[in-house]
Amino acid sequence: MFATRIAATAALTLLVAAPALAYDSHDFTTTASTAGTTAYIVGEHNKDDFEAAHDFAHNQQFALQREAAAGGGEHVAALAELLGTDDDRAFGRWMQSHYGALYPDQPAQANLVDRIVSLQRG
């Protein structure tokens, strides 16, 4: 579990630092779920943590959206922990800078966690 957390933290830290890429919101919505799940599991993350992150993002969607717009908060910090990153402030700033992609004008079909992973994988 500890090794998984270290690997997850390293992977997420590298991905958070990656620059934003242009995306097609229609393509993004349809592929984010599959891409997010695949990328997370291939990165040797704990599937239970990934499922817990999905559940948390679903149940706390409005608080996460509000805090993403603000650049952080306790819900964003909790999501960062579930995703295995130690720097929840950097994660909050990343969510704020990618807010438009994470929360498109048209309701996204993919879970927030899948959208995060998909954006970070480029």
Side-chain angles (χ1 to χ4, degrees):
M1 179 72 171
F2 182 71
T4 301
R5 289 263 183 215
I6 291 173
T9 300
L12 193 55
T13 300
L14 290 173
L15 295 174
V16 167
L21 301 173
Y23 71 97
D24 176 356
S25 64
H26 297 290
D27 183 50
F28 178 70
T29 300
T30 59
T31 61
S33 181
T34 301
T37 302
T38 302
Y40 194 85
I41 294 171
V42 168
E44 298 182 14
H45 295 91
N46 185 323
K47 187 175 180 180
D48 292 336
D49 288 347
F50 191 62
E51 289 174 8
H54 268 94
D55 290 343
F56 181 78
H58 176 75
N59 293 326
Q60 301 299 322
Q61 61 186 337
F62 299 112
L64 284 165
Q65 185 172 3
R66 181 181 64 248
E67 291 179 10
E74 66 183 53
H75 294 87
V76 168
L79 182 60
E81 174 67 25
L82 286 170
L83 292 174
T85 183
D86 290 330
D87 193 348
D88 60 280
R89 290 181 183 195
F91 183 71
R93 289 189 302 270
W94 180 89
M95 286 186 73
Q96 184 178 40
S97 68
H98 292 85
Y99 184 87
L102 294 172
Y103 297 100
D105 291 335
Q106 296 178 345
Q109 295 173 351
N111 183 283
L112 174 62
V113 171
D114 296 325
R115 295 190 308 266
I116 289 169
V117 173
S118 182
L119 278 173
Q120 291 176 337
R121 297 290 263 166

